[in-house]
Amino acid sequence: MRIHNDWKALPLDARGATVAMGNFDGVHLGHRSVIDAARAACDAPLGIITFEPHPREFFFPDAAPFRLMNAESRANRLARLGVEHLYQLPFDAVLAGLSPEAFAREVLVQGLGVRHVTVGEDFCFGRQRSGNAQTLTQLGQELGFGVTVAPLIGNGEVEYSSTEIRKALAAGRTRDAERMLGHWHRIDGEVLHGDKRGRDLGYPTANMAVDGLHLPALGIYAVLVDVLTGADRGSYKGVASLGVRPMFGQNRPNLEVHLFDFAADLYGQHLSVALVEYLRPEAKFDSLEALIAQMDRDSAQAREILATR
């Protein structure tokens, strides 16, 4: 998959796609239906138009983190779906200030040369969200590109949405989130240097930042891990701690991942960590010996859960 971080001066072979357009936070089953409709709309390369930063981050920079995915995680998921071009448009004052007509003309037609655009029926765009799916359809007729409006989908009880997925993850209901996502919720990123306490405890961990993300329930998880870069690329099983490490004072939240039966150095490599099962909340123990005993139990439970995966 090729990633384009602007709509200007694109090479000829990056133009003329059939695109799905939206924020695609989580790339859940509702988003999948929009992407599948774009794929079926016409015989052209499949593209995604999305925005970075998320428009809500641009307009409300001091709001609490809400994203299910960072840009890297979203790109990894879209690549798995066979997307050929990811148009990750810089959402800034210029883009935010474009009217719906100017966005369609300057970005979609002159910039990207789209053949067809697919959006969800709740899609809004343009200055002050003044354009909607009907507006886009009219502009497509005027400017020469096709438009498909995909209906919202759900399971009969709840609509598949990033909001509902956040609720499930905040409650530790990873399997409910998976049913709406169509895949395990993942945290992707680079392995950073940490305090290296895990190594001293017999549980070396790969440490990853979770800044800017909506945090699932803090605690211990059984995880599936894809090492995406480096000599040890591959899929592994493990156990992870998501939280502030209460045994060791007040700390910034992060993700610490222990891969079973793995001893290599992963610093600087990129991981994709799937949260499969919530095991327990974080806790502060009376001693390091009590902590290690609990880690042994967590690992045994995680191995059992992941045995058939």
Side-chain angles (χ1 to χ4, degrees), residues 4-156:
H4 312 280
N5 292 311
D6 209 336
W7 71 86
K8 302 169 186 174
L10 288 179
L12 186 61
D13 63 356
R15 293 167 55 83
T18 174
V19 300
M21 183 162 59
N23 290 309
F24 298 104
D25 186 26
V27 194
H28 56 63
L29 288 175
H31 297 145
R32 287 278 298 273
S33 72
V34 177
I35 295 168
D36 289 343
R39 194 194 314 268
C42 69
D43 184 16
L46 177 61
I48 297 291
I49 297 175
T50 191
F51 309 94
E52 192 62 38
H54 191 293
R56 195 194 303 182
E57 291 177 299
F58 175 79
F59 288 115
F60 307 103
D62 297 324
F66 66 92
R67 290 181 66 156
L68 292 168
M69 286 179 160
N70 58 25
E72 178 180 348
S73 184
R74 181 177 60 194
N76 289 339
R77 174 53 53 181
L78 292 172
R80 291 174 188 234
L81 298 180
V83 172
E84 297 171 68
H85 296 278
L86 173 56
Y87 305 101
Q88 200 162 257
L89 306 186
F91 197 87
D92 54 16
V94 172
L95 194 62
L98 293 178
S99 68
E101 181 177 1
F103 178 86
R105 186 181 303 277
E106 296 176 24
V107 178
L108 298 182
V109 176
Q110 296 173 0
L112 305 182
V114 297
R115 286 187 58 189
H116 198 98
V117 181
T118 301
V119 296
E121 64 182 30
D122 59 347
F123 180 75
C124 292
F125 71 108
R127 186 172 55 244
Q128 298 180 338
R129 294 171 56 87
S130 55
N132 56 25
Q134 182 178 2
T135 310
L136 185 65
T137 300
Q138 294 170 346
L139 289 168
Q141 293 170 351
E142 295 170 11
L143 298 173
F145 59 86
V147 175
T148 296
V149 179
L152 303 178
I153 66 169
N155 63 4

Side-chain angles (χ1 to χ4, degrees), residues 79 208 222 226 240 242 273 282 291-292 304 307:
M208 298 166 60
D226 290 338
L242 174 64
V273 181
E282 285 194 297
L291 171 61
I292 293 170
E304 183 178 353

Side-chain angles (χ1 to χ4, degrees), residues 237-280:
K237 299 174 181 179
V239 64
S241 172
L242 174 64
V244 297
R245 306 173 300 289
M247 277 291 290
F248 305 102
Q250 295 298 314
N251 300 284
R252 191 183 190 93
N254 78 340
L255 181 66
E256 295 182 302
V257 185
H258 173 69
L259 278 64
F260 296 144
D261 310 314
F262 184 89
D265 182 349
L266 288 173
Y267 292 123
Q269 304 306 329
H270 285 248
L271 271 55
S272 178
V273 181
L275 305 184
V276 174
E277 188 78 30
Y278 182 67
L279 304 184
R280 64 172 176 86

Side-chain angles (χ1 to χ4, degrees), residues 210-227:
V210 292
D211 298 340
L213 295 178
H214 165 83
L215 291 181
L218 300 186
I220 310 304
Y221 289 83
V223 296
L224 296 172
V225 182
D226 290 338
V227 177

